[in-house]
């Protein structure tokens, strides 16, 4: 591996990937950054930052190895096509192995090995593939993104009800930008990262009742958390404008939270980024400024 590595980022035109590429260019201008994208037309801003653009579509496995030539470290940002991701990630990992990529950092899910969250299945499968293929890798296991709650907080500020089905489950969410910063810190660390597992999550956990109380405090209108049975919850989410399959996914996540699946008190993210992750009240301020 050269002294200054070449880093490549998949999903670079996605919300997380864009932040990672920007931070890499801002904080490590000497490092060559390759933005792996499906659509170059969406990546003009990344090229303007000095990233090299390469076409990269998980569904075109034959093209992946060539796009990874010369890459020392690869951030594999998990895809968003739920149900297709095990196959897609396998294609990327096989290509990275064939291209002699020195390290894959994979964005997995919090406590992937033991969590009961249904969304974790493809992450568990990807972690197994990484081990099976035998490519050096580091696992960036992400807790929930605070941004997942923006839409519900905005709806609650309008009608006074923050619907959920998470019971008193505590949630240790952090902002997307915090997870991006952690990825940058880990990818650019001078220490060897192969074999490491980072359980990344917010430092301060909260319940939906806490979220409702903070929304009340900031909006000046009374908002109560309403814990609904799962079918009623899904119907309520559809009623505030999200598609049924998204409502089903959110319900499963809330249920996971009820069982402790979104809680973490390790403060690993805080240690990695060297500051407290974004707190709940800041996400609520952003949510309320957007309505
Ligand atoms: N823990 C959580 O709370 C949480 C929440 C949301 C998402 N996630 C996970 O974290 C990932 C990153 O989050 P995000 O907010 O950045 O998601 P996002 O904005 O949806 O970005 C996903 C990226 O994956 C790319 N992609 C999808 N299919 C692809 C394919 N076939 N080939 C190549 N690239 C493909 C997309 O490309 P285009 O830009 O061309 O569309 C996009 O850049 C998500 O994909 C999901 O796995 C976790």
């Amino acid at each position: 591996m050269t002294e200054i590595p070449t880093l490549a980022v998949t999903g670079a035109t996605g919300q997380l990937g864009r932040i990672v590429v920007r931070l890499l260019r801002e904080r490590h201008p000497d490092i060559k950054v390759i933005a792996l994208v499906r659509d170059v037309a969406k990546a003009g801003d990344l090229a303007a930052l000095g990233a090299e653009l390469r076409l990269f579509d998980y569904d075109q496995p034959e093209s992946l190895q060539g796009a990874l030539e010369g890459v020392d470290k690869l951030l594999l940002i998990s895809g968003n096509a739920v149900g297709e991701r095990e196959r897609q990630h396998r294609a990327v990992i096989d290509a990275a192995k064939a291209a002699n990529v020195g390290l894959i950092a994979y964005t997995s899910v919090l406590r992937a090995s033991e969590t009961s969250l249904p969304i974790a299945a493809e992450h568990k499968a990807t972690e197994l593939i990484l081990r099976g293929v035998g490519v050096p890798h580091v696992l960036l296991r992400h807790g929930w993104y605070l941004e997942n709650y923006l839409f519900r907080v905005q709806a609650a500020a309008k009608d006074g009800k923050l619907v959920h089905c998470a019971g008193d489950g505590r949630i240790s969410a952090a902002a997307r930008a915090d997870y991006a910063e952690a990825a940058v810190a880990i990818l650019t660390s001078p220490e060897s990262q192969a074999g490491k597992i980072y359980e990344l999550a917010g430092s301060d956990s909260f319940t939906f009742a806490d979220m409702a109380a903070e929304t009340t405090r900031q909006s000046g209108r009374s908002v109560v958390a309403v814990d609904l049975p799962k079918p009623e919850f899904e119907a309520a989410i559809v009623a505030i404008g999200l598609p049924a399959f998204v409502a089903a996914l959110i319900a499963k996540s809330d249920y996971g939270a009820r069982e402790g699946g979104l809680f973490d008190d390790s403060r690993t993210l805080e240690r990695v980024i060297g500051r407290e992750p974004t707190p709940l009240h800041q996400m609520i301020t952003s949510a309320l400024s957007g309505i």
Side-chain angles (χ1 to χ4, degrees):
M1 197 178 290
T2 49
E3 209 169 291
I4 299 178
T6 296
L7 304 190
V9 180
T10 75
T13 45
Q15 298 168 91
L16 180 69
R18 277 185 191 285
I19 307 173
V20 171
V21 171
R22 179 176 52 74
L23 290 177
L24 280 170
R25 291 302 302 144
E26 283 172 6
R27 296 184 181 180
H28 304 277
D30 292 345
I31 290 179
K32 178 170 174 183
V33 179
I34 299 172
L36 299 168
V37 302
R38 277 197 292 192
D39 182 357
V40 172
K42 281 167 60 181
D45 57 328
L46 303 180
L49 286 169
E52 176 184 328
L53 307 184
R54 292 188 188 171
L55 272 177
F56 202 79
D57 185 338
Y58 308 150
D59 292 327
Q60 295 186 13
E62 63 292 343
S63 68
L64 301 179
Q65 183 185 337
L68 294 175
E69 287 309 325
V71 171
D72 297 307
K73 298 182 185 179
L74 172 68
L75 175 62
L76 169 52
I77 293 183
S78 51
N80 55 9
V82 175
E84 304 298 324
R85 297 186 292 181
E86 180 177 346
R87 171 184 56 77
Q88 293 178 329
H89 295 167
R90 181 187 292 280
V92 178
I93 293 163
D94 284 343
K97 168 94 174 170
N100 288 317
V101 169
L103 182 78
I104 299 179
Y106 171 65
T107 63
S108 187
V109 74
L110 193 64
R111 288 194 302 285
S113 326
E114 68 264 14
T115 184
S116 60
L117 283 179
I119 198 79
E122 289 169 298
H123 293 295
K124 289 182 198 184
T126 304
E127 291 193 3
L128 281 176
I129 295 166
L130 283 164
R131 280 202 285 280
V133 168
V135 57
H137 61 275
V138 51
L139 300 174
L140 318 185
R141 288 178 168 170
H142 288 181
W144 240 224
Y145 296 173
L146 275 173
E147 289 86 348
N148 295 348
Y149 300 115
L150 283 171
F151 196 71
R152 265 193 275 179
V153 165
Q154 288 172 342
K158 287 182 188 148
D159 74 3
K161 287 184 196 147
L162 180 64
V163 292
H164 69 102
C165 57
D168 294 327
R170 299 200 72 81
I171 299 163
S172 310
R176 212 179 244 106
D178 299 331
Y179 295 110
E181 206 170 319
V184 169
I186 291 164
L187 282 165
T188 57
S189 164
E191 287 170 27
S192 169
Q193 297 296 326
K196 292 191 177 175
I197 299 176
Y198 292 89
E199 304 286 357
L200 302 169
S203 291
D204 291 325
S205 62
F206 53 84
T207 63
F208 272 90
D210 296 332
M211 225 187 287
E214 181 60 23
T215 308
T216 299
R217 193 185 69 76
Q218 290 196 31
S219 69
R221 105 158 261 181
S222 171
V223 173
V224 289
V226 184
D227 190 9
L228 294 170
K230 214 166 166 189
E232 280 95 321
F233 169 73
E234 288 186 32
I237 290 295
V238 170
I240 60 176
L242 290 179
F245 80 93
V246 176
L249 268 177
I250 296 175
K252 285 177 186 163
S253 308
D254 273 20
Y255 251 71
R258 181 183 281 272
E259 293 161 5
L262 301 182
F263 175 74
D264 177 80
D265 58 3
S266 69
R267 293 187 174 255
T268 308
L269 176 60
E270 182 171 337
R271 278 195 298 282
V272 170
I273 63 178
R275 61 167 175 81
E276 230 181 277
T278 308
L280 173 69
H281 67 80
Q282 208 167 306
M283 180 279 284
I284 291 180
T285 305
S286 314
L288 298 179
S289 70
I291 53 177

